[in-house]
Amino acid sequence: MNRESTVVTTSSELLAVVAARELADRSTVFAGIGLPTLAVALAQRTTAPGIEIVYESGVCGAHPSRLPETIADAVLITDSEAVLPMTALFGYVLQGGRIDVGLLGAAQIDRWGNLNSSVIGDWHAPKVRLPGSGGAMEVMANSREVFVVMRRHDPRSFVAELDFCTSPGPERALGDGIRPLGAGVTRVITDLGILARAGIGEPLRLVATHPGVTVEKVREATGWDLDVADELTTVEPPTAEELRLLRDEVDPDRVYLR
């Protein structure tokens, strides 16, 4: 493909493009609001035109005419394939193992892919109180795998120990006697590169960097001793066409693009 690296790209655009590419050939994705919403909308137009998008509000097979601003946005219902009650969504779709990929965001992540979206600081006197789990814990436990899109790659977000564990990965769940269906977090997309792991029992490691980003920079931005893949690759920058789709068709009102 002809990549045009001279085109100015924002962090949000970069993350959305890379996440959309990661959804290639996937059948069903459970999408969180924010950057995940942006990425799945782009994937529908590029790498995964037949992908079925599921939202926490019970909407399955979403085809919104514009980007939803919340999971309760009425635009999600129009032209969707089904709207399920919460009991059916969580009991049949998620717990039934019918989701290929859960696409989530988080405030903190550790080397095993455990996520924090509840508080920064002490639980009883937090520095920042965050939205909380929503359906993320069920998505983590029951999707075949989970991809995480992180706006910030720094030691405050990539931590050795979470301030609070909102969504435990398989290793932590197994330690508490719970056997999840899926493999947990297998891909993490950041503005520095891509972290990945093959499955349960393996820590996240660096597998790709964006052009101009060094391994040393990624390690300095990570709060644990980050392993690096033997065959480290470089992420192809967004094409002019991918950026055009994002800016002109997916998010012309700049709901999520910054």
Side-chain angles (χ1 to χ4, degrees), residues 128-152:
V128 179
R129 189 171 294 280
L130 301 166
S133 173
M137 186 167 64
E138 291 282 351
V139 174
M140 176 75 85
N142 297 296
S143 301
R144 291 186 180 92
E145 57 185 323
V146 173
F147 297 167
V148 180
V149 185
M150 298 286 287
R151 281 193 180 274
R152 296 179 180 85

Side-chain angles (χ1 to χ4, degrees), residues 54-55 61 65 79 119-120 127 134 151 185 198-199 207 217 221 231:
V54 179
Y55 284 96
S65 58
D79 293 330
V119 297
I120 300 298
K127 298 176 182 176
R151 281 193 180 274
V185 174
V207 298
K217 182 175 181 179
E231 297 184 4

Side-chain angles (χ1 to χ4, degrees), residues 110-113 171 196-206 224-227:
D110 66 15
R111 73 178 70 209
W112 305 108
E171 292 84 1
R197 65 180 195 155
I200 298 173
E202 290 191 11
L204 290 164
R205 61 176 183 164
L206 182 66
W224 68 83
D225 187 10
L226 181 65
D227 292 333

Side-chain angles (χ1 to χ4, degrees), residues 33-241:
I33 286 293
L35 280 175
T37 302
L38 198 63
V40 295
L42 180 61
Q44 279 186 319
R45 291 165 170 81
T46 54
T47 60
I51 198 167
E52 180 181 358
I53 304 175
V54 179
Y55 284 96
E56 187 183 341
S57 51
V59 177
C60 299
H63 301 281
S65 58
R66 58 172 173 78
L67 282 182
E69 297 185 29
T70 70
I71 59 169
D73 197 323
V75 74
L76 285 173
I77 297 175
T78 303
D79 293 330
S80 66
E81 295 165 23
V83 181
L84 304 179
M86 298 299 285
T87 51
L89 175 70
F90 285 91
Y92 176 76
V93 177
L94 269 172
Q95 294 175 13
R98 292 173 171 81
I99 299 296
D100 288 335
V101 178
L103 188 59
L104 302 174
Q108 289 183 331
I109 187 170
D110 66 15
R111 73 178 70 209
W112 305 108
N114 301 303
L115 305 179
N116 174 20
S117 55
S118 295
V119 297
I120 300 298
D122 181 79
W123 172 261
H124 299 288
K127 298 176 182 176
V128 179
R129 189 171 294 280
L130 301 166
S133 173
M137 186 167 64
E138 291 282 351
V139 174
M140 176 75 85
N142 297 296
S143 301
R144 291 186 180 92
E145 57 185 323
V146 173
F147 297 167
V148 180
V149 185
M150 298 286 287
R151 281 193 180 274
R152 296 179 180 85
H153 192 147
D154 58 39
R156 294 175 298 176
S157 297
F158 286 73
V159 296
E161 184 175 350
L162 301 176
D163 290 353
F164 181 87
C165 184
T166 308
S167 304
E171 292 84 1
R172 191 156 182 163
L174 286 167
D176 290 335
I178 301 169
R179 183 172 294 277
L181 292 179
V185 174
T186 58
R187 311 286 282 185
V188 182
I189 298 131
T190 85
D191 58 355
L192 297 182
I194 299 173
L195 280 63
R197 65 180 195 155
I200 298 173
E202 290 191 11
L204 290 164
R205 61 176 183 164
L206 182 66
V207 298
T209 57
H210 295 299
V213 176
T214 64
V215 170
E216 290 71 22
K217 182 175 181 179
V218 183
R219 280 180 162 158
E220 288 174 359
T222 305
W224 68 83
D225 187 10
L226 181 65
D227 292 333
V228 179
D230 293 335
E231 297 184 4
L232 189 68
T233 62
T234 301
V235 180
E236 293 281 357
T239 65
E241 177 60 12

